[in-house]
Amino acid sequence: MNAEEFRKHGHDLIDWVADYLENAEQYPVLSRSLPGEIRAQLPDHPPEDGESMDQILDDFRRIILPGVTHWNHPRFFAYFPANNSGSSILGELLSAGLGVNAMLWQTSPAATELEETVMSWLGELIGLPEGFHGVIQDTASTATLCALVCARERTTAHSINRMGPEGLAGAGSLRIYTSSEAHSSVLKGAKIAGFGAQNVVLVETDEKLAMDPEDLDRLIGMDLAGGLVPCCISATVGTTSSTAMDPLVPIGAIAKRHGLWLHVDAALAGSAAIVPEYRWIFDGIEAADSLVFNPHKWLLTNFDCSAYFVKDPVHLQRTMAINPEYLKTNQDHEVNNFRDWGIPLGRRFRALKLWFVLRNYGATKLREIIALHIGLAKMFAGWVDESSQWELLAPVPLNTVCFRWNPGGLDEAELEVRNKALLDRVNAEGTIYLTHTKLKGTFALRVAIGQTATRNKHVVEAWEKLNSCL
Ligand SMILES: *Cc1c(COP(=O)(O)O)cnc(C)c1O
């Protein structure tokens, strides 16, 4: 593609994306595509000769678009959001245009130093105390895996990195504590990092679905008595099912007493802490060794961009460092080489899009949008609470409402069948998209409010749609 063609198609595509975001509401939120339907329309073999961009874009519209679920639709209420914004998309475009690999300081000094700057800004915006150092990871799953590996190496004085499983030298298994409401990435990370699924100890939750610190303490005590080796606590601030908040103050005290690594997973909720009224979600964060939250969920920065903060970057680097001859540079002693702050060697220039978002919106506007979404969730929760047909199933501290249709007189099994059927009906209709979870065994519908363009009327429409699909 020559520069002239790039310019032409680039302008056309920017127009297309602008129209798309402006008119996303015209699409069914959840793709209607059936399994195999897209694949069947694509050739089995790659083209021998190049095709025109017009042909390719035509196929994009005709074949690919119907197979897209519209995450940036203002009536997307499923899972957690993966929102974006014009500023972020332009930052992403620039990052692709530069095509930088930000693995070392020298491979693009601006990429490293801008990342240091925006991560420090982000820490300030969420009220993080002094002493944390930030790095951008692709996802929260990766950040949590980093935390688990760092915990493993701190507990074993770096002997697993050196010797593999023999580094345990006959000591009992290393144990990870997390609540029964924690995200699956903790279990996955434990498997990958070699802890073993059976060493992930699930701590009970209280009536608000938050980790019970007494049970945590009891489980650690039992493990110590049984010759096992407590290693890490992974607390969740804003669980995926219901945004429950594990209490960091007592959990931090327990971690400190036993010398355990404290990782805090605030993948969605972390963004809320930019609003002063929601800073409390991080009360006790000073006890954490590591923290992750995702600007790609709820801070208008398109996927992927995950903010990982650590207390001891030297330990992180010591855990992750590799130093082959071909990666050595003259500046190594005075700069950050972010290749040693995570798992992959190659790294995208993600700081650009975050910088664009933070500057173009500014803290005030970002706070307004988050506060708006939280207000809408509380409004929706109010309607549920007031109705005799519906029932709230969890507290609503932030943007996510867990609820079900329950007019009375039906048993649990029947309620599950009826609510599942309602969910399928609503999603098939296409106006809104929501998903479900189970809270202590109870089937719950879930509305998570956080897309960039989601406003009052979309939430009103969601409530009306749910009621009209009964
Ligand atoms: C979404 C979520 C994750 C996973 O995030 P990725 O960035 O997709 O890995 C982890 N933890 C919690 C609490 C989440 O809500």
XYZ file of all heavy atoms in Angstrom, residues 128-208:
585
model
N -3.518 6.719 45.148
C -2.563 5.728 45.635
C -1.506 6.433 46.494
O -0.993 7.474 46.099
C -1.905 5.071 44.420
C -1.548 3.595 44.485
C -2.739 2.758 44.930
C -1.065 3.137 43.110
N -1.176 5.858 47.673
C -0.145 6.507 48.488
C 1.227 6.441 47.803
O 1.416 5.661 46.869
C -0.147 5.691 49.785
C -0.828 4.410 49.465
C -1.718 4.653 48.289
N 2.154 7.244 48.281
C 3.529 7.221 47.770
C 4.089 5.809 47.846
O 3.679 5.016 48.690
C 4.411 8.121 48.645
C 4.129 9.610 48.499
C 4.588 10.163 47.157
O 5.767 9.966 46.826
O 3.756 10.764 46.452
N 5.017 5.526 46.974
C 5.746 4.260 47.123
C 5.329 3.177 46.142
O 5.921 2.110 46.129
N 4.315 3.450 45.322
C 3.959 2.477 44.289
C 4.566 2.903 42.949
O 4.666 4.105 42.658
C 2.442 2.370 44.138
C 1.780 1.546 45.208
C 1.278 2.147 46.353
C 1.659 0.166 45.069
C 0.659 1.391 47.345
C 1.045 -0.599 46.054
C 0.547 0.014 47.197
N 4.940 1.931 42.148
C 5.502 2.205 40.828
C 4.677 1.450 39.799
O 4.354 0.280 40.004
C 6.957 1.754 40.771
C 7.799 2.412 41.830
N 8.528 3.551 41.591
C 7.964 2.116 43.128
C 9.131 3.923 42.715
N 8.811 3.067 43.662
N 4.351 2.127 38.690
C 3.403 1.543 37.739
C 4.025 1.117 36.429
O 5.019 1.678 35.975
N 3.383 0.128 35.833
C 3.761 -0.342 34.500
C 2.481 -0.808 33.817
O 1.555 -1.268 34.486
C 4.801 -1.487 34.597
C 4.270 -2.670 35.408
C 5.250 -1.960 33.213
N 2.412 -0.642 32.509
C 1.214 -1.074 31.781
C 1.382 -2.529 31.343
O 2.408 -2.895 30.770
C 0.948 -0.169 30.560
C 0.762 1.289 31.010
C -0.286 -0.659 29.796
C 0.510 2.264 29.862
N 0.364 -3.343 31.644
C 0.343 -4.730 31.169
C -0.800 -4.868 30.171
O -1.628 -3.976 30.046
C 0.108 -5.689 32.350
C 1.074 -5.521 33.507
C 2.417 -6.214 33.283
O 2.626 -6.876 32.269
N 3.329 -6.044 34.211
N -0.838 -5.997 29.477
C -1.944 -6.165 28.535
C -3.279 -6.341 29.270
O -4.247 -5.658 28.981
C -1.685 -7.324 27.538
C -1.313 -8.644 28.199
O -1.333 -8.737 29.447
O -0.997 -9.589 27.464
N -3.318 -7.258 30.229
C -4.587 -7.541 30.908
C -4.360 -7.736 32.403
O -3.235 -7.952 32.854
C -5.230 -8.843 30.378
O -4.330 -9.921 30.645
C -5.528 -8.770 28.896
N -5.455 -7.717 33.148
C -5.384 -7.981 34.589
C -4.922 -9.411 34.839
O -4.227 -9.684 35.817
C -6.742 -7.741 35.227
N -5.296 -10.328 33.956
C -4.868 -11.718 34.134
C -3.347 -11.815 34.152
O -2.765 -12.518 34.979
C -5.409 -12.595 32.999
O -6.806 -12.521 32.935
N -2.708 -11.113 33.227
C -1.248 -11.119 33.166
C -0.649 -10.470 34.408
O 0.338 -10.950 34.970
C -0.767 -10.352 31.913
O -1.344 -10.959 30.769
C 0.735 -10.367 31.783
N -1.237 -9.351 34.843
C -0.725 -8.651 36.021
C -0.826 -9.547 37.251
O 0.099 -9.623 38.069
C -1.499 -7.352 36.236
N -1.945 -10.253 37.380
C -2.126 -11.142 38.531
C -1.127 -12.301 38.470
O -0.563 -12.696 39.493
C -3.586 -11.635 38.582
O -4.407 -10.498 38.877
C -3.805 -12.690 39.656
N -0.876 -12.807 37.272
C 0.145 -13.854 37.134
C 1.513 -13.323 37.582
O 2.254 -14.004 38.306
C 0.190 -14.356 35.686
C 1.297 -15.348 35.346
C 1.229 -16.594 36.229
C 1.221 -15.759 33.867
N 1.857 -12.107 37.165
C 3.121 -11.479 37.616
C 3.167 -11.428 39.140
O 4.196 -11.738 39.753
C 3.237 -10.039 37.120
S 3.643 -9.903 35.412
N 2.043 -11.015 39.750
C 2.005 -10.883 41.202
C 2.229 -12.241 41.863
O 2.966 -12.354 42.843
C 0.663 -10.288 41.640
N 1.602 -13.278 41.309
C 1.734 -14.615 41.915
C 3.171 -15.119 41.791
O 3.708 -15.722 42.724
C 0.753 -15.590 41.261
C -0.729 -15.295 41.530
C -1.621 -16.268 40.770
C -1.039 -15.357 43.032
N 3.793 -14.862 40.657
C 5.189 -15.297 40.485
C 6.092 -14.525 41.446
O 6.990 -15.099 42.081
C 5.640 -15.122 39.012
C 7.121 -15.453 38.861
C 4.817 -16.007 38.086
N 5.834 -13.223 41.591
C 6.635 -12.414 42.532
C 6.445 -12.905 43.968
O 7.404 -12.960 44.745
C 6.247 -10.938 42.432
S 6.910 -10.156 40.972
N 5.195 -13.255 44.310
C 4.926 -13.767 45.662
C 5.702 -15.061 45.879
O 6.353 -15.263 46.903
C 3.423 -14.005 45.832
N 5.632 -15.934 44.895
C 6.323 -17.231 44.959
C 7.820 -17.032 45.192
O 8.429 -17.657 46.057
C 6.089 -17.948 43.625
C 6.617 -19.351 43.530
C 6.552 -19.825 42.071
N 7.642 -19.236 41.294
C 7.728 -19.277 39.964
N 6.777 -19.854 39.253
N 8.748 -18.732 39.341
N 8.391 -16.102 44.450
C 9.845 -15.891 44.548
C 10.239 -15.199 45.846
O 11.309 -15.449 46.386
C 10.344 -15.116 43.327
C 10.289 -15.932 42.053
C 10.970 -17.293 42.183
O 12.177 -17.332 42.464
O 10.275 -18.326 42.039
N 9.349 -14.327 46.364
C 9.703 -13.688 47.638
C 9.670 -14.713 48.768
O 10.583 -14.773 49.596
C 8.762 -12.518 47.945
C 9.311 -11.651 49.082
C 8.467 -10.416 49.319
N 7.246 -10.741 50.040
C 6.335 -9.832 50.386
N 6.514 -8.555 50.060
N 5.254 -10.190 51.032
N 8.614 -15.547 48.745
C 8.478 -16.543 49.816
C 9.624 -17.555 49.787
O 10.048 -18.048 50.833
C 7.121 -17.271 49.678
O 6.090 -16.292 49.749
C 6.910 -18.285 50.787
N 10.131 -17.862 48.602
C 11.154 -18.917 48.498
C 12.550 -18.347 48.258
O 13.442 -19.079 47.835
C 10.817 -19.879 47.336
O 10.808 -19.128 46.107
C 9.453 -20.532 47.526
N 12.722 -17.048 48.543
C 14.031 -16.397 48.344
C 14.611 -16.718 46.955
O 15.780 -17.069 46.821
C 15.008 -16.817 49.452
N 13.741 -16.617 45.955
C 14.121 -16.784 44.545
C 14.587 -18.186 44.188
O 15.223 -18.383 43.150
C 15.196 -15.752 44.145
C 14.661 -14.359 44.116
N 14.025 -13.812 43.023
C 14.627 -13.416 45.071
C 13.639 -12.578 43.313
N 13.992 -12.318 44.552
N 14.232 -19.166 45.000
C 14.788 -20.485 44.697
C 13.996 -21.259 43.645
O 14.535 -22.133 42.993
C 14.967 -21.306 45.973
O 13.710 -21.513 46.548
N 12.709 -20.937 43.447
C 11.961 -21.668 42.398
C 12.444 -21.211 41.026
O 12.625 -22.015 40.119
C 10.436 -21.452 42.534
C 9.992 -21.742 43.954
C 9.675 -22.282 41.507
C 9.287 -22.994 44.231
N 12.654 -19.905 40.905
C 13.199 -19.404 39.639
C 14.506 -20.116 39.300
O 14.790 -20.413 38.147
C 13.483 -17.893 39.746
C 12.394 -17.071 39.057
O 11.426 -17.624 38.555
N 12.555 -15.767 39.054
N 15.310 -20.349 40.321
C 16.628 -20.960 40.114
C 16.520 -22.468 39.897
O 17.124 -23.008 38.992
C 17.491 -20.682 41.350
C 18.854 -20.139 41.027
C 19.711 -19.777 42.243
N 19.343 -20.347 43.505
C 18.794 -19.654 44.511
N 18.531 -18.372 44.380
N 18.499 -20.255 45.650
N 15.729 -23.125 40.748
C 15.812 -24.584 40.799
C 14.545 -25.301 40.360
O 14.522 -26.539 40.350
C 16.116 -25.023 42.243
C 17.411 -24.433 42.776
S 17.446 -24.404 44.586
C 17.646 -26.148 44.906
N 13.483 -24.528 40.041
C 12.226 -25.207 39.749
C 11.635 -25.762 41.036
O 12.018 -25.329 42.129
N 10.727 -26.736 40.944
C 10.028 -27.250 42.127
C 10.980 -27.718 43.239
O 10.637 -27.664 44.414
C 9.217 -28.429 41.581
C 9.108 -28.183 40.123
C 10.292 -27.368 39.703
N 12.169 -28.145 42.882
C 13.128 -28.576 43.912
C 13.491 -27.443 44.860
O 13.977 -27.681 45.969
C 14.413 -29.100 43.268
C 14.273 -30.499 42.720
C 15.451 -30.875 41.825
O 16.577 -30.419 42.118
O 15.213 -31.581 40.834
N 13.254 -26.193 44.393
C 13.546 -25.037 45.240
C 12.758 -25.045 46.547
O 13.122 -24.363 47.503
N 11.661 -25.802 46.576
C 10.877 -25.875 47.814
C 11.608 -26.686 48.882
O 11.293 -26.606 50.062
C 9.506 -26.511 47.548
C 8.445 -25.587 46.962
C 7.151 -26.348 46.741
C 8.190 -24.394 47.886
N 12.557 -27.472 48.466
C 13.430 -28.225 49.368
C 12.659 -28.967 50.454
O 12.969 -28.866 51.651
C 14.463 -27.278 49.994
N 11.622 -29.663 50.039
C 10.901 -30.499 51.002
C 9.906 -29.753 51.877
O 9.173 -30.374 52.648
N 9.865 -28.408 51.783
C 8.865 -27.662 52.559
C 7.484 -27.974 51.988
O 7.363 -28.488 50.877
C 9.159 -26.172 52.486
N 6.436 -27.632 52.759
C 5.082 -27.888 52.264
C 4.749 -26.990 51.081
O 5.495 -26.054 50.755
N 3.627 -27.277 50.430
C 3.205 -26.509 49.263
C 2.951 -25.051 49.603
O 2.505 -24.726 50.712
C 1.921 -27.099 48.704
O 2.119 -28.441 48.383
N 3.193 -24.196 48.626
C 2.888 -22.765 48.769
C 1.386 -22.564 48.581
O 0.790 -23.141 47.670
C 3.639 -21.962 47.707
C 5.161 -22.026 47.734
C 5.729 -21.239 46.548
C 5.706 -21.476 49.042
N 0.796 -21.722 49.411
C -0.656 -21.549 49.401
C -1.055 -20.116 49.034
O -0.428 -19.141 49.471
C -1.213 -21.880 50.781
C -0.779 -23.256 51.268
C -1.582 -24.357 50.664
N -2.792 -24.602 51.425
C -3.705 -25.511 51.066
N -3.552 -26.213 49.960
N -4.780 -25.695 51.814
N -2.121 -20.029 48.256
C -2.690 -18.740 47.855
C -4.099 -18.653 48.442
O -4.858 -19.617 48.347
C -2.819 -18.641 46.322
C -1.445 -18.754 45.660
C -3.510 -17.356 45.896
C -1.542 -18.946 44.156
N -4.447 -17.517 49.000
C -5.788 -17.322 49.578
C -6.524 -16.270 48.775
O -6.001 -15.183 48.529
C -5.676 -16.885 51.045
C -4.807 -17.834 51.827
C -3.423 -17.660 51.849
C -5.354 -18.942 52.468
C -2.604 -18.567 52.496
C -4.539 -19.851 53.125
C -3.161 -19.663 53.133
O -2.361 -20.566 53.764
N -7.725 -16.616 48.393
C -8.557 -15.658 47.671
C -10.004 -16.026 47.974
O -10.266 -17.128 48.436
C -8.213 -15.687 46.154
O -8.680 -14.505 45.528
C -8.814 -16.912 45.451
N -10.939 -15.126 47.745
C -12.302 -15.457 48.159
C -12.983 -16.317 47.110
O -12.541 -16.415 45.958
C -13.124 -14.186 48.402
O -13.828 -13.838 47.232
N -14.089 -16.919 47.522
C -14.852 -17.747 46.586
C -15.452 -16.891 45.470
O -15.912 -17.421 44.471
C -15.958 -18.498 47.333
O -16.635 -17.606 48.198
N -15.419 -15.568 45.617
C -15.938 -14.668 44.577
C -14.830 -14.111 43.681
O -15.091 -13.275 42.810
C -16.689 -13.490 45.224
C -18.001 -13.885 45.890
C -19.062 -14.298 44.881
O -19.268 -13.581 43.893
O -19.682 -15.366 45.079
N -13.573 -14.539 43.908
C -12.461 -13.978 43.132
C -12.575 -14.347 41.656
O -13.217 -15.340 41.289
C -11.135 -14.481 43.685
N -11.911 -13.579 40.835
C -11.928 -13.824 39.387
C -11.128 -15.090 39.046
O -10.152 -15.421 39.716
C -11.304 -12.613 38.675
C -11.459 -12.657 37.188
N -10.478 -13.142 36.353
C -12.490 -12.287 36.387
C -10.898 -13.053 35.096
N -12.110 -12.532 35.093
N -11.553 -15.746 37.984
C -10.905 -17.001 37.573
C -9.427 -16.827 37.218
O -8.669 -17.799 37.192
C -11.653 -17.572 36.367
O -11.740 -16.585 35.356
N -9.000 -15.584 36.971
C -7.590 -15.370 36.607
C -6.649 -15.705 37.764
O -5.470 -15.977 37.533
C -7.360 -13.926 36.143
O -7.830 -13.011 37.110
N -7.158 -15.706 38.999
C -6.302 -16.072 40.133
C -5.988 -17.572 40.056
O -4.831 -17.985 40.161
C -6.970 -15.710 41.481
C -6.099 -16.133 42.651
C -7.262 -14.209 41.545
N -7.029 -18.357 39.820
C -6.833 -19.806 39.693
C -5.952 -20.126 38.485
O -5.033 -20.946 38.552
C -8.201 -20.487 39.557
C -8.179 -22.008 39.389
C -7.532 -22.678 40.585
C -9.595 -22.541 39.184
N -6.224 -19.450 37.388
C -5.447 -19.691 36.170
C -3.976 -19.335 36.400
O -3.069 -20.097 36.031
C -6.026 -18.846 35.028
C -5.532 -19.217 33.655
C -6.347 -18.424 32.643
C -6.041 -18.808 31.216
N -6.913 -18.092 30.280
N -3.751 -18.185 37.037
C -2.382 -17.762 37.342
C -1.696 -18.753 38.268
O -0.506 -19.059 38.094
N -2.447 -19.269 39.238
C -1.866 -20.242 40.176
C -1.449 -21.509 39.444
O -0.412 -22.103 39.733
C -2.880 -20.567 41.270
N -2.264 -21.901 38.468
C -1.906 -23.094 37.685
C -0.648 -22.823 36.861
O 0.288 -23.621 36.843
C -3.056 -23.470 36.748
C -4.294 -23.975 37.462
C -5.078 -24.863 36.540
C -6.415 -24.447 36.171
N -7.126 -25.243 35.232
N -0.631 -21.679 36.180
C 0.507 -21.381 35.301
C 1.787 -21.207 36.114
O 2.859 -21.660 35.701
C 0.218 -20.110 34.464
C -0.995 -20.326 33.567
C 1.430 -19.728 33.622
C -1.523 -19.054 32.923
N 1.669 -20.553 37.281
C 2.855 -20.270 38.090
C 3.305 -21.482 38.902
O 4.262 -21.393 39.670
C 2.590 -19.082 39.016
N 2.620 -22.604 38.739
C 3.087 -23.843 39.355
C 2.658 -24.047 40.797
O 3.181 -24.934 41.470
N 1.717 -23.248 41.286
C 1.216 -23.481 42.650
C 0.339 -24.744 42.686
O 0.328 -25.460 43.681
C 0.356 -22.296 43.126
C 1.135 -21.048 43.469
C 1.476 -20.124 42.489
C 1.501 -20.790 44.775
C 2.182 -18.969 42.805
C 2.205 -19.643 45.106
C 2.543 -18.728 44.118
N -0.399 -24.937 41.598
C -1.354 -26.045 41.575
C -2.716 -25.585 42.063
O -2.817 -24.877 43.063
N -3.746 -25.983 41.338
C -5.107 -25.543 41.672
C -5.474 -25.912 43.109
O -6.175 -25.166 43.795
C -6.109 -26.158 40.687
N -4.978 -27.045 43.590
C -5.390 -27.477 44.939
C -4.780 -26.601 46.029
O -5.176 -26.702 47.185
C -5.034 -28.938 45.170
C -3.546 -29.203 45.246
C -3.238 -30.693 45.444
O -4.107 -31.533 45.251
N -2.017 -31.011 45.810
N -3.851 -25.732 45.661
C -3.268 -24.828 46.656
C -3.862 -23.429 46.615
O -3.336 -22.504 47.238
C -1.744 -24.794 46.500
C -1.144 -26.120 46.930
O -1.444 -26.591 48.032
N -0.373 -26.743 46.059
N -4.931 -23.289 45.859
C -5.703 -22.040 45.920
C -6.804 -22.256 46.948
O -7.710 -23.065 46.739
C -6.295 -21.673 44.546
C -7.137 -20.411 44.660
C -5.170 -21.486 43.531
N -6.707 -21.562 48.056
C -7.624 -21.767 49.175
C -8.726 -20.714 49.082
O -8.437 -19.509 49.065
C -6.865 -21.618 50.514
C -7.795 -21.922 51.683
C -5.635 -22.522 50.533
N -9.963 -21.178 48.976
C -11.069 -20.233 48.822
C -11.628 -19.824 50.183
O -12.123 -20.651 50.944
C -12.169 -20.836 47.952
C -11.764 -21.128 46.501
C -12.963 -21.629 45.706
C -11.159 -19.891 45.827
N -11.529 -18.542 50.464
C -11.984 -17.994 51.739
C -13.474 -17.680 51.612
O -13.935 -17.229 50.554
C -11.198 -16.696 52.055
C -11.596 -16.140 53.415
C -9.703 -16.950 51.976
N -14.193 -17.905 52.692
C -15.636 -17.641 52.668
C -15.934 -16.151 52.547
O -15.122 -15.309 52.929
C -16.280 -18.164 53.950
C -16.628 -19.626 53.829
C -17.370 -20.124 55.038
O -18.064 -19.314 55.691
O -17.232 -21.320 55.305
N -17.133 -15.861 52.035
C -17.547 -14.465 51.929
C -18.712 -14.206 52.882
O -19.445 -15.132 53.247
C -17.983 -14.128 50.491
O -19.011 -15.027 50.098
C -16.816 -14.241 49.520
N -18.867 -12.946 53.239
C -19.954 -12.576 54.149
C -21.238 -12.288 53.358
O -21.304 -12.569 52.153
C -19.542 -11.370 55.010
C -19.264 -10.118 54.163
O -19.678 -10.086 52.984
O -18.637 -9.178 54.678
N -22.227 -11.697 54.023
C -23.515 -11.490 53.353
C -23.417 -10.452 52.231
O -24.253 -10.413 51.347
C -24.613 -11.138 54.373
C -24.545 -9.755 55.019
C -23.354 -9.567 55.960
O -22.741 -10.571 56.381
O -23.017 -8.397 56.264
N -22.351 -9.653 52.248
C -22.141 -8.705 51.139
C -21.243 -9.297 50.049
O -20.790 -8.580 49.163
C -21.489 -7.426 51.665
C -22.411 -6.556 52.506
C -21.597 -5.390 53.029
C -22.476 -4.214 53.389
N -21.662 -3.147 54.006
